[in-house]
Amino acid sequence: MASHPKDVVITDEHPKTLLLQKHADYIIGYSKKEEDYEFTMTEHFRMSGMYWGITAVDLLSQLDRMDRSAIIEFVRQCQDKTSGGFSPSLGHDAHLLYTLSAVQILVIMDGMDEVDTEGIIRFIVGLQNEDGSFSGDQWGEVDTRFSFCAVACLSLLKRLDAIDIDKAVEFVMKCQNVDGGFGTRPGSESHAGQIYCCVGLLSVTGQLHRVNGDLLGWWLCERQLPSGGLNGRPEKLPDVCYSWWVLASLKMLDRLHWINANKMRLFIMATQDPETGGFTDRPGDMVDLYHTHFGLAGLSLLGEPGLKQINPVFCMPQYVIDRISVSVQILAT
């Protein structure tokens, strides 16, 4: 059978089972290679990298191998004393993306009392614009990713009352398109990553009923290619990271069963490197921490044995969300 022109081919030579211990060793080893080129070149998003690694090893039930005190100290040092937000690494500017990663790390590691929580809230409140949107930082770029980051942070801190929720929701709804999807801003094309952010915001704020679950669910399911992998928008190659963005959105919409889960699982398994551990974007490429995190997260959503359950909104282990008693909305079919 001919393959799709924008697809990959899964063969019998690709891994079919989860290489659990290989992945745990890869992630733990990554954090110890501070002199490596890859580690050096990822400084500009290190906070998110730490979140990916910590969440992944927790899903693998090996969080005790991480140095909790060193992690919390790094996060603490990255909080800007003036703005209250977090930077990706020392010497960089604070941004909402890395503030969410920092909060996620601190919640997982039970270290929120080590930082200025009121400063975080002040930082987020200061980034909401008159139309309800959020800028990512002081430079003013607007994106629905930042709306999600703001709302997710405040939800984890139980301070959603600090912002204008109604305006935040209205801005996101203005970013919805006729195909049911969402873009970065009003008029932008639908993209699976933005859909996750917007559906996640609506889930946190209890406004998922404003989404046409069938229409959006259909658009998301059309992202699955013959290989079983998912792309982020039409005519693009599959990428294992969309195993999270698409599947998590479908989970929130209560339509995860619309996907061919068996083919999806085979695609994710095929992106593993059996020698080094870790996941790639698609079979045959180089592994990295980002795709390893989202590969494991996608498998967790599919109920893979050996992995802890993950929360589809916060992309954190469900037991952590249960521990802090944060509730989210799932759209009933």
Side-chain angles (χ1 to χ4, degrees), residues 16-32:
K16 299 292 189 296
T17 58
L18 181 62
L19 309 174
L20 191 151
Q21 194 57 47
K22 287 265 189 182
H23 300 316
D25 292 343
Y26 164 74
I27 297 164
I28 299 299
Y30 184 94
S31 64
K32 298 178 180 179

Side-chain angles (χ1 to χ4, degrees), residues 51 55 58-59 100 103-110 148 151-158 196 203-204 244 308-330:
Y51 152 69
T55 302
D58 199 358
L59 292 176
L100 174 57
V103 169
Q104 290 170 309
I105 291 168
L106 292 169
V107 170
I108 292 172
M109 306 301 287
D110 197 17
F148 172 74
V151 167
C153 278
L154 292 176
S155 180
L156 291 170
L157 297 174
K158 300 183 180 180
Y196 163 80
S203 174
V204 169
W244 174 256
K308 291 180 181 177
Q309 181 185 0
I310 196 163
N311 182 276
V313 177
F314 297 102
C315 199
M316 297 163 63
Q318 183 62 46
Y319 83 90
V320 176
I321 302 303
D322 293 339
R323 185 181 70 204
I324 62 174
S325 302
V326 173
S327 62
V328 296
Q329 180 186 16
I330 300 296

